[in-house]
Amino acid sequence: MNIRQVKQFFNDKKETPCPLTERLIKAGYQQTGGGYIDLAKRRDLTVDYTKAEPTQYWHLIEEYCPSVDKDKSFNKSIVCGELIFWMAEVSRAVPEDKLKELLECIIADGNGTTPPKYDRVKWNKEIQKLCFDAITNVVENQ
């Protein structure tokens, strides 16, 4: 799966409801800095996990895809859990009950602080394990 395929598949998903992804991010599962968060701040976009902002659509279609070669592979070096989770939800690559189950496990693992602190290395790996190959299958077979 390359960037061109990803952009083509997800380009029309801006308005696709993603209640599970929103719940995940609003529970505090969002990068706190670096990458797309720093870019959003430099562009004066709202960065607020309680509003699930910036959106994962923006992260993928408006930030990431335009910044890389269209023939570059979109592979498992992509580790942003909230992005992969969103891609799985809006593509329907992973059954909703499986995404909900993972969501509940992640949220339950928050440490009770505000904002919550999550083991992003652990949970990003779990999200990738559940979702990445399924997303690749859907995008490549559209």
Side-chain angles (χ1 to χ4, degrees):
M1 165 171 77
N2 64 30
I3 301 302
R4 181 178 288 105
Q5 291 170 301
V6 168
K7 185 171 186 345
Q8 183 176 29
F9 185 88
F10 289 97
N11 200 46
D12 68 348
K13 306 286 189 271
K14 185 173 187 173
E15 302 301 326
T16 302
C18 53
L20 300 178
T21 303
E22 287 183 6
R23 187 167 164 226
L24 177 68
I25 294 171
K26 287 178 179 181
Y29 198 87
Q30 182 184 58
Q31 289 180 22
T32 56
Y36 81 104
I37 295 297
D38 285 354
L39 183 62
K41 288 176 181 175
R42 284 195 304 274
R43 293 192 178 162
D44 292 323
L45 297 176
T46 300
V47 175
D48 184 347
Y49 76 90
T50 67
K51 297 177 182 173
E53 291 288 338
T55 68
Q56 295 309 299
Y57 176 88
W58 176 84
H59 181 181
L60 181 66
I61 299 300
E62 297 178 25
E63 185 271 316
Y64 182 74
C65 287
S67 71
V68 294
D69 184 288
K70 304 302 174 242
D71 294 319
K72 180 182 176 185
S73 177
F74 189 95
N75 57 40
K76 291 183 180 175
S77 66
I78 307 297
V79 296
C80 180
E82 60 269 29
L83 177 61
I84 296 168
F85 195 95
W86 174 80
M87 293 171 75
E89 183 175 17
V90 300
S91 69
R92 301 195 187 333
V94 175
E96 184 178 355
D97 63 324
K98 296 290 185 192
L99 283 176
K100 269 187 184 172
E101 185 178 325
L102 180 56
L103 169 67
E104 296 299 338
C105 289
I106 294 169
I107 290 174
D109 197 41
N111 68 353
T113 64
T114 303
K117 300 281 186 223
Y118 294 96
D119 183 343
R120 287 188 58 88
V121 172
K122 171 187 173 182
W123 291 115
N124 284 352
K125 284 180 184 175
E126 291 299 316
I127 291 168
Q128 192 172 77
K129 187 167 69 174
L130 176 66
C131 303
F132 203 91
D133 291 340
I135 294 165
T136 299
N137 187 48
V138 167
V139 169
E140 288 182 343
N141 293 300
Q142 64 175 334

